[in-house]
Amino acid sequence: MTFRARHLLGIEPLAPEEIRTVLDLADRYVELNRRTVKHADALEGMTQINMFFEASTRTQASFELAGKRLGADVMNMAVAQSSVKKGETLIDTALTLNAMHPDLLVVRHPNSGAVNLLAEKVNCAVLNAGDGRHEHPTQALLDALTIRRAKGRIHRLTVAICGDIAHSRVARSNLILLGKMENRVRLIGPPTLMPPGVAEFGCEVFDDMSEGLKGADVVMMLRLQKERMDGGFIPSEREYYHRFGLDAEKLAHAAPDAIVMHPGPMNRGVEIDGTLADDINRSVIQEQVEMGVAVRMAAMDLLARNLRAERGRALTGGADV
Ligand code: ASP
């Protein structure tokens, strides 16, 4: 088992074998989560604080469940009612919480880089639950697990990521992970929704769904991130759906056994046809949610092991005993 990270701030710093370690352990937690009694003790006695400065359904719920299933004491900080509203800075809030000795801090923040900054100020393990348009590492890991279970591998696949790439941390983390694991990544969307410098990531770029989806094994749809748009990026949602919304007709260009993914929340009739999203023969959207709990359990378990080892070394003056 190889997992050296002290924090999980992004996919960027992870080595392929560390990614495989998380996925292998998550596979075991999938089995546990399907049992009636779902308890393990990897985080027994530890304190986990979730701080979400941006809306979340799946991520927050699954981090909470993941921590509880592993035996942690989990606290969800109600940011809306906290001193953040009185003008306290992120760092002051973090230092206050740090003084309460949490072991794991799960943070979502609207600003790219905010979670990395916070990780420098606290002495517990920090997990990035999404920062601006920067990274959403556990989403990419749960997507990888979903793909690996559906396709039997997470290398040498053609993966099409479609829609609002420019504003999406999910797209960014996914294309980094898929690149590290030697997959072929295609980005499809209107040029206005492609980030500058996209060529650096070594993926092909398309603005036509029929071209970009040709032969794809995996089709990953993204939501239009309106909260991060400060102008008119698309003519209208109707026009967008017509050109870039995934329906059965467009999906017919992909491989016959291609799977359809979406990180949620989904806007039916904007980026994806509702019937296709519910088609259990093509869509793995519910599996993604299931894998989310298992991947977050695995990530917290691995970080907790490293934290214990680090604290153990500190007690023995640096010697491994
Ligand atoms: N839930 C994902 C995120 O937090 C995707 C989205 O919001 O569209 O980035």
Side-chain angles (χ1 to χ4, degrees), residues 108 136 169-170 223 225 227-228 263-265:
R108 167 169 288 190
H136 193 350
R169 53 195 176 210
V170 174
R223 180 178 67 88
Q225 312 262 308
E227 69 275 30
R228 284 184 243 290

Side-chain angles (χ1 to χ4, degrees), residues 153 155-160 183-186 204 212-219 258:
R153 65 185 198 277
H155 61 274
R156 297 214 194 122
L157 292 165
T158 300
V159 182
N183 295 281
R184 190 167 161 192
V185 181
R186 297 188 191 153
E204 301 164 88
L213 290 181
K214 217 166 271 172
D217 301 297
V218 176
V219 182

Side-chain angles (χ1 to χ4, degrees), residues 48-53 60 74-84 88 93-94 96-97 100 105-106:
Q48 173 191 337
I49 300 182
N50 299 333
M51 285 201 308
F52 280 66
F53 295 89
Q60 183 164 1
V74 185
M75 195 265 266
N76 288 310
M77 206 180 91
V79 175
Q81 283 110 45
S82 71
S83 292
V84 174
E88 186 172 81
T93 307
T96 303
L97 291 175
M100 297 180 195
L105 209 50
V106 179

Side-chain angles (χ1 to χ4, degrees), residues 136-293:
H136 193 350
T138 54
Q139 178 71 47
L141 290 163
L142 76 88
D143 289 339
L145 184 63
T146 308
I147 297 172
R148 195 172 79 166
R149 291 172 70 99
K151 295 278 154 205
R153 65 185 198 277
I154 186 68
H155 61 274
R156 297 214 194 122
L157 292 165
T158 300
V159 182
I161 307 180
C162 320
D164 182 1
I165 314 287
H167 302 102
S168 174
R169 53 195 176 210
V170 174
R172 202 164 173 282
S173 290
N174 260 304
L175 67 88
I176 298 171
L177 186 150
L178 293 164
K180 281 182 194 268
M181 306 312 273
E182 293 174 15
N183 295 281
R184 190 167 161 192
V185 181
R186 297 188 191 153
L187 303 178
I188 316 174
T192 48
L193 294 178
M194 283 296 159
V198 74
E200 281 167 35
F201 288 103
C203 29
E204 301 164 88
V205 180
F206 299 84
D207 67 355
D208 179 279
M209 289 287 271
S210 56
E211 287 282 309
L213 290 181
K214 217 166 271 172
D217 301 297
V218 176
V219 182
M220 203 179 273
M221 301 309 298
L222 300 171
R223 180 178 67 88
L224 289 174
Q225 312 262 308
K226 290 190 204 139
E227 69 275 30
R228 284 184 243 290
M229 293 184 188
D230 49 13
F233 284 81
I234 54 160
S236 72
E237 285 187 357
R238 233 183 111 118
E239 168 76 12
Y240 181 81
Y241 181 67
H242 177 68
R243 290 200 53 202
F244 298 101
L246 188 70
D247 55 14
E249 202 180 310
K250 293 195 190 82
L251 183 63
H253 295 284
D257 60 350
I259 54 168
V260 174
M261 307 179 74
H262 194 303
M266 221 176 352
N267 288 130
R268 292 167 186 258
V270 179
E271 70 268 0
I272 191 164
D273 167 59
T275 313
L276 181 57
D278 297 333
D279 179 355
I280 54 164
N281 296 314
R282 307 309 297 269
S283 162
V284 292
I285 296 170
Q286 294 309 321
E287 279 87 336
Q288 286 175 271
V289 179
E290 182 185 2
M291 296 311 126
V293 181

